[in-house]
Short mmCIF file of all heavy atoms in Angstrom, two decimals:
data_model
loop_
_atom_site.label_atom_id
_atom_site.label_comp_id
_atom_site.label_asym_id
_atom_site.label_seq_id
_atom_site.Cartn_x
_atom_site.Cartn_y
_atom_site.Cartn_z
N GLY A 1 -11.80 -17.39 0.42
CA GLY A 1 -11.05 -18.65 0.28
C GLY A 1 -9.62 -18.42 -0.20
O GLY A 1 -8.87 -19.38 -0.31
N THR A 2 -9.23 -17.16 -0.38
CA THR A 2 -7.81 -16.88 -0.72
C THR A 2 -6.95 -17.32 0.41
O THR A 2 -7.23 -16.99 1.57
CB THR A 2 -7.63 -15.38 -1.07
OG1 THR A 2 -8.48 -15.02 -2.13
CG2 THR A 2 -6.19 -15.07 -1.39
N PRO A 3 -5.85 -18.05 0.13
CA PRO A 3 -5.00 -18.52 1.23
C PRO A 3 -4.42 -17.37 2.06
O PRO A 3 -4.15 -16.31 1.54
CB PRO A 3 -3.88 -19.25 0.52
CG PRO A 3 -4.45 -19.63 -0.82
CD PRO A 3 -5.45 -18.53 -1.17
N ALA A 4 -4.33 -17.61 3.37
CA ALA A 4 -3.84 -16.56 4.28
C ALA A 4 -2.50 -16.02 3.88
O ALA A 4 -2.23 -14.82 4.01
CB ALA A 4 -3.78 -17.12 5.71
N ALA A 5 -1.62 -16.86 3.35
CA ALA A 5 -0.27 -16.40 2.97
C ALA A 5 -0.41 -15.40 1.81
O ALA A 5 0.37 -14.42 1.79
CB ALA A 5 0.59 -17.61 2.48
N VAL A 6 -1.34 -15.58 0.89
CA VAL A 6 -1.54 -14.65 -0.20
C VAL A 6 -2.13 -13.34 0.36
O VAL A 6 -1.69 -12.25 -0.04
CB VAL A 6 -2.48 -15.25 -1.28
CG1 VAL A 6 -2.84 -14.21 -2.34
CG2 VAL A 6 -1.83 -16.48 -1.89
N ILE A 7 -3.07 -13.42 1.25
CA ILE A 7 -3.62 -12.22 1.89
C ILE A 7 -2.52 -11.45 2.60
O ILE A 7 -2.43 -10.21 2.49
CB ILE A 7 -4.74 -12.60 2.91
CG1 ILE A 7 -5.91 -13.30 2.21
CG2 ILE A 7 -5.21 -11.39 3.72
CD1 ILE A 7 -6.71 -12.40 1.24
N ASP A 8 -1.69 -12.15 3.36
CA ASP A 8 -0.57 -11.48 4.06
C ASP A 8 0.39 -10.79 3.11
O ASP A 8 0.81 -9.67 3.36
CB ASP A 8 0.17 -12.47 4.94
CG ASP A 8 -0.66 -12.98 6.10
OD1 ASP A 8 -1.68 -12.35 6.45
OD2 ASP A 8 -0.31 -14.03 6.66
N THR A 9 0.69 -11.44 2.01
CA THR A 9 1.60 -10.83 1.02
C THR A 9 0.96 -9.62 0.41
O THR A 9 1.61 -8.56 0.25
CB THR A 9 1.95 -11.87 -0.08
OG1 THR A 9 2.60 -12.98 0.53
CG2 THR A 9 2.85 -11.27 -1.14
N LEU A 10 -0.31 -9.69 0.04
CA LEU A 10 -1.03 -8.57 -0.55
C LEU A 10 -1.12 -7.41 0.45
O LEU A 10 -0.90 -6.24 0.09
CB LEU A 10 -2.44 -9.00 -0.96
CG LEU A 10 -3.33 -7.98 -1.61
CD1 LEU A 10 -2.71 -7.48 -2.90
CD2 LEU A 10 -4.69 -8.62 -1.98
N ALA A 11 -1.42 -7.74 1.72
CA ALA A 11 -1.51 -6.68 2.72
C ALA A 11 -0.16 -5.99 2.94
O ALA A 11 -0.07 -4.77 3.08
CB ALA A 11 -2.01 -7.27 4.04
N ALA A 12 0.92 -6.76 3.01
CA ALA A 12 2.26 -6.19 3.18
C ALA A 12 2.65 -5.30 2.00
O ALA A 12 3.20 -4.19 2.22
CB ALA A 12 3.28 -7.31 3.40
N ALA A 13 2.36 -5.75 0.81
CA ALA A 13 2.70 -4.96 -0.36
C ALA A 13 1.89 -3.67 -0.39
O ALA A 13 2.40 -2.59 -0.74
CB ALA A 13 2.47 -5.78 -1.63
N THR A 14 0.62 -3.76 -0.08
CA THR A 14 -0.25 -2.56 -0.04
C THR A 14 0.26 -1.57 1.02
O THR A 14 0.32 -0.38 0.72
CB THR A 14 -1.72 -2.98 0.20
OG1 THR A 14 -2.12 -3.90 -0.82
CG2 THR A 14 -2.64 -1.78 0.22
N ALA A 15 0.55 -2.09 2.16
CA ALA A 15 1.04 -1.21 3.26
C ALA A 15 2.32 -0.50 2.85
O ALA A 15 2.53 0.68 3.13
CB ALA A 15 1.25 -2.02 4.54
N LYS A 16 3.21 -1.25 2.22
CA LYS A 16 4.50 -0.68 1.78
C LYS A 16 4.28 0.50 0.83
O LYS A 16 4.87 1.55 0.92
CB LYS A 16 5.36 -1.76 1.12
CG LYS A 16 6.71 -1.26 0.68
CD LYS A 16 7.54 -2.38 0.08
CE LYS A 16 8.89 -1.84 -0.36
NZ LYS A 16 9.72 -2.92 -0.98
N VAL A 17 3.38 0.26 -0.19
CA VAL A 17 3.08 1.31 -1.16
C VAL A 17 2.45 2.54 -0.46
O VAL A 17 2.82 3.66 -0.77
CB VAL A 17 2.15 0.78 -2.29
CG1 VAL A 17 1.62 1.88 -3.13
CG2 VAL A 17 2.89 -0.26 -3.12
N LEU A 18 1.53 2.29 0.44
CA LEU A 18 0.85 3.40 1.10
C LEU A 18 1.76 4.21 1.99
O LEU A 18 1.50 5.39 2.27
CB LEU A 18 -0.38 2.88 1.87
CG LEU A 18 -1.50 2.41 1.00
CD1 LEU A 18 -2.61 1.78 1.85
CD2 LEU A 18 -2.08 3.56 0.16
N LYS A 19 2.86 3.60 2.49
CA LYS A 19 3.80 4.31 3.34
C LYS A 19 4.87 5.08 2.56
O LYS A 19 5.60 5.88 3.10
CB LYS A 19 4.47 3.32 4.32
CG LYS A 19 3.51 2.84 5.36
CD LYS A 19 4.17 1.81 6.26
CE LYS A 19 3.13 1.28 7.25
NZ LYS A 19 3.58 0.12 7.98
N ASP A 20 4.93 4.84 1.27
CA ASP A 20 5.93 5.51 0.41
C ASP A 20 5.66 7.00 0.39
O ASP A 20 4.49 7.42 0.21
CB ASP A 20 5.83 4.93 -1.00
CG ASP A 20 6.88 5.56 -1.91
OD1 ASP A 20 6.56 6.63 -2.51
OD2 ASP A 20 7.95 4.95 -2.06
N PRO A 21 6.69 7.83 0.64
CA PRO A 21 6.47 9.27 0.67
C PRO A 21 5.82 9.84 -0.62
O PRO A 21 4.99 10.73 -0.53
CB PRO A 21 7.88 9.84 0.88
CG PRO A 21 8.60 8.75 1.57
CD PRO A 21 8.04 7.48 1.02
N ALA A 22 6.20 9.29 -1.77
CA ALA A 22 5.60 9.77 -3.04
C ALA A 22 4.12 9.47 -3.07
O ALA A 22 3.30 10.29 -3.53
CB ALA A 22 6.30 9.12 -4.25
N MET A 23 3.72 8.29 -2.57
CA MET A 23 2.30 7.94 -2.51
C MET A 23 1.58 8.85 -1.53
O MET A 23 0.46 9.34 -1.80
CB MET A 23 2.10 6.47 -2.13
CG MET A 23 0.65 6.08 -2.01
SD MET A 23 -0.35 6.36 -3.45
CE MET A 23 0.00 4.89 -4.38
N GLN A 24 2.17 9.08 -0.37
CA GLN A 24 1.57 9.95 0.62
C GLN A 24 1.38 11.34 0.03
O GLN A 24 0.34 11.99 0.29
CB GLN A 24 2.44 10.01 1.88
CG GLN A 24 2.43 8.76 2.72
CD GLN A 24 1.09 8.52 3.34
OE1 GLN A 24 0.44 9.46 3.84
NE2 GLN A 24 0.65 7.24 3.34
N GLU A 25 2.33 11.83 -0.72
CA GLU A 25 2.19 13.16 -1.34
C GLU A 25 1.00 13.18 -2.33
O GLU A 25 0.24 14.12 -2.40
CB GLU A 25 3.49 13.51 -2.05
CG GLU A 25 3.45 14.88 -2.68
CD GLU A 25 4.75 15.28 -3.34
OE1 GLU A 25 5.80 14.62 -3.11
OE2 GLU A 25 4.73 16.28 -4.13
N GLN A 26 0.92 12.13 -3.16
CA GLN A 26 -0.17 12.04 -4.12
C GLN A 26 -1.52 12.00 -3.42
O GLN A 26 -2.49 12.67 -3.82
CB GLN A 26 0.00 10.85 -5.06
CG GLN A 26 1.11 10.97 -6.01
CD GLN A 26 0.93 12.14 -6.97
OE1 GLN A 26 -0.18 12.39 -7.48
NE2 GLN A 26 1.97 12.85 -7.25
N LEU A 27 -1.59 11.20 -2.38
CA LEU A 27 -2.87 11.11 -1.62
C LEU A 27 -3.22 12.47 -1.01
O LEU A 27 -4.36 12.90 -1.02
CB LEU A 27 -2.75 10.04 -0.51
CG LEU A 27 -2.69 8.59 -0.99
CD1 LEU A 27 -2.41 7.68 0.20
CD2 LEU A 27 -3.95 8.21 -1.70
N SER A 28 -2.23 13.18 -0.49
CA SER A 28 -2.44 14.47 0.09
C SER A 28 -2.97 15.47 -0.91
O SER A 28 -3.85 16.26 -0.63
CB SER A 28 -1.12 14.98 0.73
OG SER A 28 -1.32 16.25 1.29
N LYS A 29 -2.43 15.42 -2.09
CA LYS A 29 -2.92 16.32 -3.18
C LYS A 29 -4.38 16.07 -3.49
O LYS A 29 -5.07 16.97 -3.96
CB LYS A 29 -2.06 16.12 -4.45
CG LYS A 29 -0.68 16.71 -4.34
CD LYS A 29 0.07 16.42 -5.64
CE LYS A 29 1.52 16.91 -5.54
NZ LYS A 29 2.29 16.63 -6.80
N LEU A 30 -4.83 14.84 -3.25
CA LEU A 30 -6.21 14.49 -3.51
C LEU A 30 -7.10 14.63 -2.26
O LEU A 30 -8.24 14.18 -2.26
CB LEU A 30 -6.30 13.06 -4.04
CG LEU A 30 -5.59 12.80 -5.37
CD1 LEU A 30 -5.50 11.35 -5.67
CD2 LEU A 30 -6.27 13.57 -6.50
#
C-alpha cells in the first residue's frame, strides 16, 4: 500500500547508492 511515488523515490535512492564507486568497492570486498 505504499504509494508508487514513495516506492519510486526509494528505488532511485537505492540505485544511486549501489552505483556509487565506494559502495561497489565495499560490496566487492565482501
Side-chain angles (χ1 to χ4, degrees):
T2 301
V6 174
I7 297 292
D8 292 342
T9 299
L10 182 59
T14 302
K16 182 178 179 182
V17 169
L18 289 173
K19 289 178 183 169
D20 182 274
M23 176 58 83
Q24 288 292 319
E25 183 179 344
Q26 289 299 319
L27 291 173
S28 179
K29 287 178 183 178
L30 297 169

